[in-house]
Amino acid sequence: MRFHNFNGGPAVLPQSVLERVAAEMLDWQSTGMSIMEISHRSKEVAAMSAETQELVRSLLGLGPEWAIAFCQGGASLQFAMLPLNFAGDGGVCDYVNTGLWATKAFEEAKLCGAAPRLAASSQDEAFTYIPREFDFSASPKYIYLCSNNTVRGTRWPAFPAKTPGPLVGDFSSEFMSRPLDLTNFALVFAGAQKNVGPAGLTIVLIRKDFAETGKKGLPHMLDYRTYVENDSMYNTPPVHAIYVANLVFKWLRDTIGGLDKMEALNETKAKTLYDFIDHSSGFYRGTARLDSRSPMNVTYRLSNPELEKPFLEEAKKEGLVGLGGHRSVGGIRASLYNALRLDEVETLVAFMKRFMEKNG
Amino acid sequence: MRFHNFNGGPAVLPQSVLERVAAEMLDWQSTGMSIMEISHRSKEVAAMSAETQELVRSLLGLGPEWAIAFCQGGASLQFAMLPLNFAGDGGVCDYVNTGLWATKAFEEAKLCGAAPRLAASSQDEAFTYIPREFDFSASPKYIYLCSNNTVRGTRWPAFPAKTPGPLVGDFSSEFMSRPLDLTNFALVFAGAQKNVGPAGLTIVLIRKDFAETGKKGLPHMLDYRTYVENDSMYNTPPVHAIYVANLVFKWLRDTIGGLDKMEALNETKAKTLYDFIDHSSGFYRGTARLDSRSPMNVTYRLSNPELEKPFLEEAKKEGLVGLGGHRSVGGIRASLYNALRLDEVETLVAFMKRFMEKNG
């Protein structure tokens, strides 16, 4: 039996993808082997990996100036690779702090010989909004931002239009949920375990000219050029995770119809839930500021916090799982990633309505 | 249809494990979710990960002085993490060079501010043997070795009995193929994609007191303490790969009966193939020296090298795949990892016999 999976990540995947993964587990593409058993240097895996890159390229409309890299180590390793490659020794890089994960990236830069400075922060209001004013350095090596903040449920409504240096960012929790305008961006990374596939794969979009400016002489696995120049095959990549991402991207293209359609669907899902929250006469209360709300992670509280534990327990009994807020903030969080269907959001809203009527 | 998979890695996995992975793909442990969709902070995944550590501990008989870490980035990232953590600035560390992968580890140490030096090398004879004489430093930070060399098909018959510093090593291609005597060792790592599971997981055994001596202030994902202190849950680990490894370890324990039994079986498989090669009147010729032969990777040539291409093509037609030698050396390589059955080795030998009779 399948539950309704509102996990913040790892998160729900399309059921049709899981069914296909199961069906070809013992014999992938008539190779007589599982995708986990076949050489990454085989022509079949090389073609699958190249196709996965092309799917990213075509879904996002990326030009030839972009390289697509398959890394490991999650966003947390990117927090270090970015300054190691691009901050230069003692180089100034600007960070916009919009929450837990941007804070971690900022702190990690200090461990990498960089001199990160805050260009803006929403810590004054517990990271419940995205700043609109920035105090950028004159010539930062890069400007770092986290585009969607899973903990507090905020997302950038728009990215800075003029910047004194290239934008780089953590797009983990909204990657592939909508078309991306990468003007001013030089690097974007995303852990796969939200909208893309299983944990263990990090997709990095990097401008080739930016990669070239990276520090020379880094350990190979920490140098973006290693991935760009070897098509992410310098060593054995996480083949299984790339394969699942490949199937998810095809589902996005063929079943959903592309990122415009995906965005519209995600907006509808989010509106369904936010509208109900906003019309619950305060029984439920969204925690993010209206202009900064994320369609991916809907964070809210109950007016009576003592009802939150029974809310989560009763939801789970009805097959609505993963609704607990991040362990650092508590409350409720409904993550509405790509593979979560609209009817599942409606099921959640119906439950919330019943729960309110019983306890209101 | 399943073929006979002699790949050097990623490599064959037990069919019963693959069948179970397929069967519970849509609903793992009655959670209503796939193992790829469930939070790594859930009690189910935390328990599975802890159980996997315990399986490693009990199969290898490791005492409480050892920590078991789940890393990413393959052996190639370990090549950098080791010197970054333990070489100290300009610290002397000894390397025994037994082939391609040890060479890479040696070169990577130079990129990490270490001063690696060769304590021994078998490059004089194309890495076809394991050295027995060592020129160790007086007090090296560590002594590095690669225990099994997939490219040239050699394995250490025994490890140095007395060493002036802790041994560390790459056990990727023989990890879990036999009991390990870790006397003198402080750290052992292994990419999963040989005997353990899918690519994307690196298992590291590290003495806790050794981890404590590591350099402070490294980026978190490059500091072994991060994994030891957070039970490999500092960030999202490669959950799916750990889960497959968990099932493989249970297969090792329950179906095979432990590492003693596995070793005996692996020795029988290797003997079957080596004996045939050695009695083929020179038609086939093993490339590794007798005292250094690996039971995991049997490397050989045909006396007439022009027959190697048809050999590989005809083998493939009979469902014997992955027999090409490493792209750096060519020839034939039959990898006989744990999950490859004895009857599959016998099938290979029968094919080799027919091929020899036809072309001898």
Side-chain angles (χ1 to χ4, degrees), chain A residues 1-3 5 10-11 13 26-27 31-32 37 41 72-73 108 219-220 235-236 240 327, chain B residues 1-3 5 10-11 13 26-27 31-32 37 41 72-73 108 193 219-220 235 240 327:
Chain A
M1 171 181 180
R2 298 272 294 166
F3 291 158
N5 180 351
L13 293 168
L26 273 78
D27 182 6
T31 57
E37 301 178 298
R41 309 251 174 238
Q72 299 183 55
E108 205 69 21
H220 280 89
N235 71 338
T236 317
H240 177 266
R327 58 201 171 114
Chain B
M1 171 180 178
R2 298 271 295 165
F3 290 161
N5 180 351
L13 292 169
L26 273 78
D27 182 8
T31 57
E37 302 179 297
R41 308 252 176 238
Q72 299 183 55
E108 204 69 21
Q193 66 272 21
H220 280 90
N235 71 339
H240 177 266
R327 58 201 172 117

mmCIF file of all heavy atoms in Angstrom, chain A residues 1-3 5 10-11 13 26-27 31-32 37 41 72-73 108 219-220 235-236 240 327, chain B residues 1-3 5 10-11 13 26-27 31-32 37 41 72-73 108 193 219-220 235 240 327:
data_model
loop_
_atom_site.group_PDB
_atom_site.id
_atom_site.type_symbol
_atom_site.label_atom_id
_atom_site.label_comp_id
_atom_site.label_asym_id
_atom_site.label_seq_id
_atom_site.Cartn_x
_atom_site.Cartn_y
_atom_site.Cartn_z
ATOM 1 N N MET A 1 0.842 -1.211 0.000
ATOM 2 C CA MET A 1 0.000 0.000 0.000
ATOM 3 C C MET A 1 0.876 1.260 0.000
ATOM 4 O O MET A 1 1.887 1.315 0.670
ATOM 5 C CB MET A 1 -0.883 0.001 1.247
ATOM 6 C CG MET A 1 -1.599 1.332 1.410
ATOM 7 S SD MET A 1 -2.640 1.456 2.850
ATOM 8 C CE MET A 1 -3.233 3.126 2.598
ATOM 9 N N ARG A 2 0.485 2.229 -0.809
ATOM 10 C CA ARG A 2 1.236 3.482 -0.914
ATOM 11 C C ARG A 2 0.561 4.560 -0.073
ATOM 12 O O ARG A 2 -0.644 4.766 -0.141
ATOM 13 C CB ARG A 2 1.286 3.929 -2.372
ATOM 14 C CG ARG A 2 1.999 2.942 -3.280
ATOM 15 C CD ARG A 2 3.476 3.175 -3.351
ATOM 16 N NE ARG A 2 3.785 4.443 -3.989
ATOM 17 C CZ ARG A 2 4.980 5.014 -3.930
ATOM 18 N NH1 ARG A 2 5.955 4.454 -3.232
ATOM 19 N NH2 ARG A 2 5.205 6.160 -4.540
ATOM 20 N N PHE A 3 1.371 5.280 0.712
ATOM 21 C CA PHE A 3 0.841 6.387 1.495
ATOM 22 C C PHE A 3 0.987 7.687 0.715
ATOM 23 O O PHE A 3 1.597 7.730 -0.346
ATOM 24 C CB PHE A 3 1.575 6.480 2.837
ATOM 25 C CG PHE A 3 1.259 5.331 3.767
ATOM 26 C CD1 PHE A 3 2.126 5.002 4.800
ATOM 27 C CD2 PHE A 3 0.101 4.583 3.624
ATOM 28 C CE1 PHE A 3 1.848 3.943 5.659
ATOM 29 C CE2 PHE A 3 -0.187 3.525 4.472
ATOM 30 C CZ PHE A 3 0.691 3.200 5.489
ATOM 31 N N ASN A 5 2.859 10.922 0.589
ATOM 32 C CA ASN A 5 4.195 11.173 1.119
ATOM 33 C C ASN A 5 4.546 12.660 1.022
ATOM 34 O O ASN A 5 4.900 13.150 -0.045
ATOM 35 C CB ASN A 5 5.177 10.300 0.330
ATOM 36 C CG ASN A 5 6.612 10.455 0.776
ATOM 37 O OD1 ASN A 5 6.943 11.333 1.571
ATOM 38 N ND2 ASN A 5 7.473 9.608 0.252
ATOM 39 N N PRO A 10 14.680 12.860 1.685
ATOM 40 C CA PRO A 10 14.172 12.184 0.495
ATOM 41 C C PRO A 10 12.651 12.220 0.442
ATOM 42 O O PRO A 10 11.996 12.244 1.481
ATOM 43 C CB PRO A 10 14.713 10.760 0.634
ATOM 44 C CG PRO A 10 15.973 10.926 1.438
ATOM 45 C CD PRO A 10 15.698 12.063 2.369
ATOM 46 N N ALA A 11 12.127 12.206 -0.771
ATOM 47 C CA ALA A 11 10.718 12.535 -0.963
ATOM 48 C C ALA A 11 10.074 11.650 -2.021
ATOM 49 O O ALA A 11 10.720 10.791 -2.617
ATOM 50 C CB ALA A 11 10.601 14.001 -1.360
ATOM 51 N N LEU A 13 8.468 9.951 -5.202
ATOM 52 C CA LEU A 13 8.842 9.823 -6.614
ATOM 53 C C LEU A 13 7.623 9.331 -7.402
ATOM 54 O O LEU A 13 6.703 8.746 -6.820
ATOM 55 C CB LEU A 13 10.003 8.829 -6.763
ATOM 56 C CG LEU A 13 11.340 9.291 -6.154
ATOM 57 C CD1 LEU A 13 12.345 8.154 -6.092
ATOM 58 C CD2 LEU A 13 11.921 10.461 -6.951
ATOM 59 N N LEU A 26 16.252 -6.848 -12.652
ATOM 60 C CA LEU A 26 17.133 -7.989 -12.893
ATOM 61 C C LEU A 26 17.745 -7.983 -14.288
ATOM 62 O O LEU A 26 18.699 -8.724 -14.554
ATOM 63 C CB LEU A 26 16.388 -9.308 -12.676
ATOM 64 C CG LEU A 26 16.396 -9.795 -11.224
ATOM 65 C CD1 LEU A 26 15.409 -9.045 -10.368
ATOM 66 C CD2 LEU A 26 16.211 -11.280 -11.136
ATOM 67 N N ASP A 27 17.190 -7.177 -15.169
ATOM 68 C CA ASP A 27 17.691 -7.174 -16.548
ATOM 69 C C ASP A 27 17.380 -5.824 -17.165
ATOM 70 O O ASP A 27 16.283 -5.582 -17.660
ATOM 71 C CB ASP A 27 17.050 -8.312 -17.347
ATOM 72 C CG ASP A 27 17.581 -8.389 -18.775
ATOM 73 O OD1 ASP A 27 18.522 -7.651 -19.117
ATOM 74 O OD2 ASP A 27 17.034 -9.200 -19.556
ATOM 75 N N THR A 31 20.503 -6.164 -21.115
ATOM 76 C CA THR A 31 21.938 -6.397 -20.936
ATOM 77 C C THR A 31 22.184 -7.680 -20.149
ATOM 78 O O THR A 31 23.335 -8.105 -19.994
ATOM 79 C CB THR A 31 22.584 -5.250 -20.134
ATOM 80 O OG1 THR A 31 21.901 -5.129 -18.869
ATOM 81 C CG2 THR A 31 22.512 -3.928 -20.887
ATOM 82 N N GLY A 32 21.108 -8.264 -19.599
ATOM 83 C CA GLY A 32 21.281 -9.434 -18.743
ATOM 84 C C GLY A 32 21.835 -9.079 -17.376
ATOM 85 O O GLY A 32 22.285 -9.956 -16.632
ATOM 86 N N GLU A 37 24.667 -3.495 -11.675
ATOM 87 C CA GLU A 37 25.707 -4.502 -11.896
ATOM 88 C C GLU A 37 26.546 -4.262 -13.142
ATOM 89 O O GLU A 37 27.469 -5.033 -13.412
ATOM 90 C CB GLU A 37 25.071 -5.888 -12.059
ATOM 91 C CG GLU A 37 24.236 -6.361 -10.892
ATOM 92 C CD GLU A 37 23.634 -7.715 -11.208
ATOM 93 O OE1 GLU A 37 22.840 -7.797 -12.179
ATOM 94 O OE2 GLU A 37 23.944 -8.687 -10.506
ATOM 95 N N ARG A 41 31.517 2.076 -17.669
ATOM 96 C CA ARG A 41 32.191 2.333 -18.946
ATOM 97 C C ARG A 41 31.527 1.595 -20.103
ATOM 98 O O ARG A 41 31.981 1.682 -21.240
ATOM 99 C CB ARG A 41 33.660 1.931 -18.867
ATOM 100 C CG ARG A 41 34.401 2.506 -17.680
ATOM 101 C CD ARG A 41 35.401 3.581 -18.049
ATOM 102 N NE ARG A 41 35.979 4.197 -16.862
ATOM 103 C CZ ARG A 41 35.929 5.488 -16.577
ATOM 104 N NH1 ARG A 41 35.339 6.333 -17.393
ATOM 105 N NH2 ARG A 41 36.469 5.974 -15.478
ATOM 106 N N GLN A 72 28.720 13.816 -6.082
ATOM 107 C CA GLN A 72 28.239 13.114 -4.889
ATOM 108 C C GLN A 72 28.461 14.012 -3.667
ATOM 109 O O GLN A 72 29.027 15.077 -3.766
ATOM 110 C CB GLN A 72 28.983 11.796 -4.715
ATOM 111 C CG GLN A 72 28.809 10.818 -5.868
ATOM 112 C CD GLN A 72 29.513 9.481 -5.633
ATOM 113 O OE1 GLN A 72 29.304 8.802 -4.650
ATOM 114 N NE2 GLN A 72 30.365 9.104 -6.571
ATOM 115 N N GLY A 73 27.988 13.556 -2.524
ATOM 116 C CA GLY A 73 28.258 14.291 -1.283
ATOM 117 C C GLY A 73 27.198 15.311 -0.911
ATOM 118 O O GLY A 73 27.327 15.977 0.122
ATOM 119 N N GLU A 108 30.635 27.017 6.232
ATOM 120 C CA GLU A 108 31.566 26.107 5.570
ATOM 121 C C GLU A 108 32.622 26.890 4.787
ATOM 122 O O GLU A 108 33.784 26.469 4.717
ATOM 123 C CB GLU A 108 30.787 25.167 4.640
ATOM 124 C CG GLU A 108 31.458 23.864 4.352
ATOM 125 C CD GLU A 108 31.538 22.909 5.549
ATOM 126 O OE1 GLU A 108 30.763 23.048 6.504
ATOM 127 O OE2 GLU A 108 32.418 22.024 5.508
ATOM 128 N N PRO A 219 42.431 18.710 -5.153
ATOM 129 C CA PRO A 219 42.191 17.273 -5.321
ATOM 130 C C PRO A 219 41.135 17.052 -6.421
ATOM 131 O O PRO A 219 40.190 17.834 -6.524
ATOM 132 C CB PRO A 219 41.663 16.853 -3.947
ATOM 133 C CG PRO A 219 42.251 17.847 -2.997
ATOM 134 C CD PRO A 219 42.317 19.143 -3.757
ATOM 135 N N HIS A 220 41.319 16.012 -7.205
ATOM 136 C CA HIS A 220 40.471 15.845 -8.388
ATOM 137 C C HIS A 220 38.976 15.867 -8.091
ATOM 138 O O HIS A 220 38.204 16.479 -8.814
ATOM 139 C CB HIS A 220 40.832 14.538 -9.099
ATOM 140 C CG HIS A 220 42.046 14.661 -9.952
ATOM 141 N ND1 HIS A 220 43.309 14.429 -9.477
ATOM 142 C CD2 HIS A 220 42.187 15.030 -11.252
ATOM 143 C CE1 HIS A 220 44.193 14.633 -10.450
ATOM 144 N NE2 HIS A 220 43.539 14.991 -11.531
ATOM 145 N N ASN A 235 35.659 8.942 -12.141
ATOM 146 C CA ASN A 235 35.598 7.663 -11.425
ATOM 147 C C ASN A 235 34.167 7.130 -11.541
ATOM 148 O O ASN A 235 33.366 7.676 -12.299
ATOM 149 C CB ASN A 235 36.050 7.814 -9.964
ATOM 150 C CG ASN A 235 35.040 8.573 -9.123
ATOM 151 O OD1 ASN A 235 34.216 9.322 -9.655
ATOM 152 N ND2 ASN A 235 35.112 8.392 -7.825
ATOM 153 N N THR A 236 33.859 6.061 -10.843
ATOM 154 C CA THR A 236 32.529 5.481 -10.981
ATOM 155 C C THR A 236 31.484 6.436 -10.410
ATOM 156 O O THR A 236 31.519 6.747 -9.227
ATOM 157 C CB THR A 236 32.433 4.140 -10.232
ATOM 158 O OG1 THR A 236 33.617 3.380 -10.481
ATOM 159 C CG2 THR A 236 31.231 3.354 -10.687
ATOM 160 N N HIS A 240 23.117 4.163 -10.337
ATOM 161 C CA HIS A 240 21.703 3.881 -10.062
ATOM 162 C C HIS A 240 20.915 5.167 -9.862
ATOM 163 O O HIS A 240 19.792 5.318 -10.358
ATOM 164 C CB HIS A 240 21.585 2.982 -8.826
ATOM 165 C CG HIS A 240 20.175 2.699 -8.429
ATOM 166 N ND1 HIS A 240 19.500 3.444 -7.485
ATOM 167 C CD2 HIS A 240 19.293 1.769 -8.864
ATOM 168 C CE1 HIS A 240 18.271 2.975 -7.354
ATOM 169 N NE2 HIS A 240 18.128 1.957 -8.177
ATOM 170 N N ARG A 327 13.128 19.294 12.218
ATOM 171 C CA ARG A 327 13.403 19.097 13.638
ATOM 172 C C ARG A 327 13.923 20.361 14.324
ATOM 173 O O ARG A 327 13.862 20.481 15.533
ATOM 174 C CB ARG A 327 14.386 17.934 13.826
ATOM 175 C CG ARG A 327 15.713 18.118 13.091
ATOM 176 C CD ARG A 327 16.452 16.801 12.851
ATOM 177 N NE ARG A 327 17.577 17.045 11.962
ATOM 178 C CZ ARG A 327 18.863 16.923 12.286
ATOM 179 N NH1 ARG A 327 19.196 16.501 13.492
ATOM 180 N NH2 ARG A 327 19.797 17.189 11.425
ATOM 181 N N MET B 1 16.319 -12.180 -19.005
ATOM 182 C CA MET B 1 17.377 -13.195 -18.937
ATOM 183 C C MET B 1 18.623 -12.631 -18.251
ATOM 184 O O MET B 1 19.000 -11.491 -18.482
ATOM 185 C CB MET B 1 17.734 -13.627 -20.375
ATOM 186 C CG MET B 1 18.967 -14.513 -20.388
ATOM 187 S SD MET B 1 19.489 -15.092 -21.993
ATOM 188 C CE MET B 1 20.942 -16.001 -21.462
ATOM 189 N N ARG B 2 19.244 -13.437 -17.393
ATOM 190 C CA ARG B 2 20.438 -13.005 -16.679
ATOM 191 C C ARG B 2 21.679 -13.602 -17.335
ATOM 192 O O ARG B 2 21.730 -14.783 -17.629
ATOM 193 C CB ARG B 2 20.367 -13.484 -15.221
ATOM 194 C CG ARG B 2 19.187 -12.913 -14.462
ATOM 195 C CD ARG B 2 19.502 -11.613 -13.802
ATOM 196 N NE ARG B 2 20.506 -11.749 -12.764
ATOM 197 C CZ ARG B 2 21.154 -10.719 -12.241
ATOM 198 N NH1 ARG B 2 20.926 -9.494 -12.681
ATOM 199 N NH2 ARG B 2 22.044 -10.899 -11.290
ATOM 200 N N PHE B 3 22.677 -12.762 -17.531
ATOM 201 C CA PHE B 3 23.942 -13.235 -18.091
ATOM 202 C C PHE B 3 24.916 -13.583 -16.958
ATOM 203 O O PHE B 3 24.649 -13.333 -15.793
ATOM 204 C CB PHE B 3 24.549 -12.163 -18.993
ATOM 205 C CG PHE B 3 23.779 -11.955 -20.270
ATOM 206 C CD1 PHE B 3 23.930 -10.789 -21.006
ATOM 207 C CD2 PHE B 3 22.900 -12.915 -20.742
ATOM 208 C CE1 PHE B 3 23.220 -10.599 -22.192
ATOM 209 C CE2 PHE B 3 22.185 -12.733 -21.926
ATOM 210 C CZ PHE B 3 22.355 -11.562 -22.648
ATOM 211 N N ASN B 5 28.050 -12.523 -15.255
ATOM 212 C CA ASN B 5 28.585 -11.170 -15.176
ATOM 213 C C ASN B 5 29.971 -11.170 -14.524
ATOM 214 O O ASN B 5 30.093 -11.265 -13.303
ATOM 215 C CB ASN B 5 27.588 -10.322 -14.385
ATOM 216 C CG ASN B 5 28.022 -8.882 -14.230
ATOM 217 O OD1 ASN B 5 29.153 -8.523 -14.560
ATOM 218 N ND2 ASN B 5 27.120 -8.071 -13.719
ATOM 219 N N PRO B 10 31.270 -1.553 -11.513
ATOM 220 C CA PRO B 10 30.187 -2.254 -10.836
ATOM 221 C C PRO B 10 30.073 -3.695 -11.313
ATOM 222 O O PRO B 10 30.415 -3.999 -12.451
ATOM 223 C CB PRO B 10 28.948 -1.429 -11.196
ATOM 224 C CG PRO B 10 29.481 -0.041 -11.392
ATOM 225 C CD PRO B 10 30.836 -0.236 -11.985
ATOM 226 N N ALA B 11 29.588 -4.540 -10.420
ATOM 227 C CA ALA B 11 29.711 -5.976 -10.643
ATOM 228 C C ALA B 11 28.463 -6.728 -10.183
ATOM 229 O O ALA B 11 27.512 -6.146 -9.658
ATOM 230 C CB ALA B 11 30.939 -6.497 -9.900
ATOM 231 N N LEU B 13 25.625 -8.843 -8.427
ATOM 232 C CA LEU B 13 25.050 -8.886 -7.073
ATOM 233 C C LEU B 13 24.215 -10.154 -6.943
ATOM 234 O O LEU B 13 23.789 -10.727 -7.947
ATOM 235 C CB LEU B 13 24.176 -7.648 -6.840
ATOM 236 C CG LEU B 13 24.943 -6.316 -6.774
ATOM 237 C CD1 LEU B 13 23.977 -5.137 -6.804
ATOM 238 C CD2 LEU B 13 25.810 -6.264 -5.516
ATOM 239 N N LEU B 26 8.031 -0.456 -4.096
ATOM 240 C CA LEU B 26 6.957 0.526 -3.907
ATOM 241 C C LEU B 26 6.529 0.673 -2.454
ATOM 242 O O LEU B 26 5.835 1.629 -2.106
ATOM 243 C CB LEU B 26 5.734 0.161 -4.765
ATOM 244 C CG LEU B 26 5.786 0.703 -6.194
ATOM 245 C CD1 LEU B 26 6.696 -0.117 -7.061
ATOM 246 C CD2 LEU B 26 4.405 0.826 -6.785
ATOM 247 N N ASP B 27 6.913 -0.277 -1.625
ATOM 248 C CA ASP B 27 6.478 -0.211 -0.223
ATOM 249 C C ASP B 27 7.491 -0.952 0.619
ATOM 250 O O ASP B 27 7.440 -2.157 0.768
ATOM 251 C CB ASP B 27 5.081 -0.819 -0.082
ATOM 252 C CG ASP B 27 4.565 -0.732 1.350
ATOM 253 O OD1 ASP B 27 5.211 -0.080 2.195
ATOM 254 O OD2 ASP B 27 3.494 -1.333 1.623
ATOM 255 N N THR B 31 6.101 0.845 5.115
ATOM 256 C CA THR B 31 6.065 2.286 5.373
ATOM 257 C C THR B 31 5.164 3.007 4.378
ATOM 258 O O THR B 31 4.901 4.204 4.525
ATOM 259 C CB THR B 31 7.474 2.910 5.235
ATOM 260 O OG1 THR B 31 7.974 2.621 3.915
ATOM 261 C CG2 THR B 31 8.437 2.363 6.274
ATOM 262 N N GLY B 32 4.719 2.285 3.345
ATOM 263 C CA GLY B 32 3.937 2.937 2.304
ATOM 264 C C GLY B 32 4.782 3.780 1.372
ATOM 265 O O GLY B 32 4.259 4.591 0.604
ATOM 266 N N GLU B 37 12.233 7.020 -1.038
ATOM 267 C CA GLU B 37 11.312 8.135 -0.781
ATOM 268 C C GLU B 37 11.183 8.494 0.685
ATOM 269 O O GLU B 37 10.447 9.423 1.033
ATOM 270 C CB GLU B 37 9.906 7.770 -1.272
ATOM 271 C CG GLU B 37 9.803 7.427 -2.727
ATOM 272 C CD GLU B 37 8.374 7.053 -3.085
ATOM 273 O OE1 GLU B 37 7.866 6.046 -2.541
ATOM 274 O OE2 GLU B 37 7.757 7.757 -3.888
ATOM 275 N N ARG B 41 15.953 10.529 8.314
ATOM 276 C CA ARG B 41 15.809 10.730 9.774
ATOM 277 C C ARG B 41 14.661 9.905 10.352
ATOM 278 O O ARG B 41 14.383 9.978 11.534
ATOM 279 C CB ARG B 41 15.575 12.206 10.089
ATOM 280 C CG ARG B 41 16.607 13.138 9.471
ATOM 281 C CD ARG B 41 17.560 13.743 10.482
ATOM 282 N NE ARG B 41 18.578 14.541 9.814
ATOM 283 C CZ ARG B 41 19.892 14.333 9.919
ATOM 284 N NH1 ARG B 41 20.358 13.358 10.683
ATOM 285 N NH2 ARG B 41 20.747 15.097 9.283
ATOM 286 N N GLN B 72 30.698 9.026 0.555
ATOM 287 C CA GLN B 72 30.419 9.074 -0.876
ATOM 288 C C GLN B 72 31.703 9.468 -1.618
ATOM 289 O O GLN B 72 32.714 9.739 -1.008
ATOM 290 C CB GLN B 72 29.304 10.095 -1.169
ATOM 291 C CG GLN B 72 27.976 9.784 -0.498
ATOM 292 C CD GLN B 72 26.873 10.771 -0.859
ATOM 293 O OE1 GLN B 72 26.589 10.983 -2.027
ATOM 294 N NE2 GLN B 72 26.267 11.370 0.148
ATOM 295 N N GLY B 73 31.626 9.458 -2.935
ATOM 296 C CA GLY B 73 32.767 9.942 -3.730
ATOM 297 C C GLY B 73 33.753 8.857 -4.126
ATOM 298 O O GLY B 73 34.759 9.162 -4.790
ATOM 299 N N GLU B 108 47.469 11.868 -5.759
ATOM 300 C CA GLU B 108 46.474 12.730 -5.120
ATOM 301 C C GLU B 108 47.015 13.318 -3.818
ATOM 302 O O GLU B 108 46.701 14.463 -3.472
ATOM 303 C CB GLU B 108 45.196 11.912 -4.859
ATOM 304 C CG GLU B 108 43.936 12.724 -4.757
ATOM 305 C CD GLU B 108 43.478 13.362 -6.070
ATOM 306 O OE1 GLU B 108 43.882 12.880 -7.145
ATOM 307 O OE2 GLU B 108 42.747 14.366 -6.009
ATOM 308 N N GLN B 193 30.976 -0.941 -5.031
ATOM 309 C CA GLN B 193 30.531 -1.517 -6.303
ATOM 310 C C GLN B 193 31.283 -2.765 -6.747
ATOM 311 O O GLN B 193 31.321 -3.066 -7.942
ATOM 312 C CB GLN B 193 30.560 -0.457 -7.400
ATOM 313 C CG GLN B 193 31.930 0.067 -7.799
ATOM 314 C CD GLN B 193 32.396 1.255 -6.965
ATOM 315 O OE1 GLN B 193 31.916 1.472 -5.878
ATOM 316 N NE2 GLN B 193 33.356 1.994 -7.466
ATOM 317 N N PRO B 219 36.790 21.128 5.979
ATOM 318 C CA PRO B 219 35.370 21.125 5.612
ATOM 319 C C PRO B 219 34.707 19.858 6.156
ATOM 320 O O PRO B 219 35.316 18.781 6.154
ATOM 321 C CB PRO B 219 35.407 21.131 4.080
ATOM 322 C CG PRO B 219 36.716 21.770 3.729
ATOM 323 C CD PRO B 219 37.674 21.355 4.828
ATOM 324 N N HIS B 220 33.463 20.009 6.603
ATOM 325 C CA HIS B 220 32.819 18.895 7.311
ATOM 326 C C HIS B 220 32.812 17.580 6.538
ATOM 327 O O HIS B 220 33.052 16.517 7.091
ATOM 328 C CB HIS B 220 31.382 19.280 7.672
ATOM 329 C CG HIS B 220 31.304 20.135 8.891
ATOM 330 N ND1 HIS B 220 31.355 21.508 8.852
ATOM 331 C CD2 HIS B 220 31.205 19.802 10.203
ATOM 332 C CE1 HIS B 220 31.274 21.998 10.081
ATOM 333 N NE2 HIS B 220 31.188 20.991 10.929
ATOM 334 N N ASN B 235 24.643 14.647 6.910
ATOM 335 C CA ASN B 235 23.688 15.071 5.875
ATOM 336 C C ASN B 235 23.035 13.805 5.325
ATOM 337 O O ASN B 235 23.219 12.711 5.865
ATOM 338 C CB ASN B 235 24.384 15.901 4.780
ATOM 339 C CG ASN B 235 25.296 15.068 3.900
ATOM 340 O OD1 ASN B 235 25.725 13.984 4.297
ATOM 341 N ND2 ASN B 235 25.596 15.583 2.727
ATOM 342 N N HIS B 240 19.716 4.448 -0.485
ATOM 343 C CA HIS B 240 19.427 3.267 -1.300
ATOM 344 C C HIS B 240 20.632 2.335 -1.373
ATOM 345 O O HIS B 240 20.496 1.114 -1.270
ATOM 346 C CB HIS B 240 19.000 3.702 -2.709
ATOM 347 C CG HIS B 240 18.749 2.558 -3.637
ATOM 348 N ND1 HIS B 240 19.719 2.059 -4.483
ATOM 349 C CD2 HIS B 240 17.659 1.795 -3.826
ATOM 350 C CE1 HIS B 240 19.217 1.048 -5.164
ATOM 351 N NE2 HIS B 240 17.964 0.866 -4.789
ATOM 352 N N ARG B 327 40.808 -1.121 -19.456
ATOM 353 C CA ARG B 327 41.136 -0.385 -20.693
ATOM 354 C C ARG B 327 42.597 0.061 -20.749
ATOM 355 O O ARG B 327 43.115 0.342 -21.808
ATOM 356 C CB ARG B 327 40.198 0.810 -20.855
ATOM 357 C CG ARG B 327 40.241 1.769 -19.688
ATOM 358 C CD ARG B 327 38.983 2.653 -19.588
ATOM 359 N NE ARG B 327 39.028 3.409 -18.335
ATOM 360 C CZ ARG B 327 39.098 4.728 -18.236
ATOM 361 N NH1 ARG B 327 39.119 5.467 -19.318
ATOM 362 N NH2 ARG B 327 39.161 5.329 -17.060
#
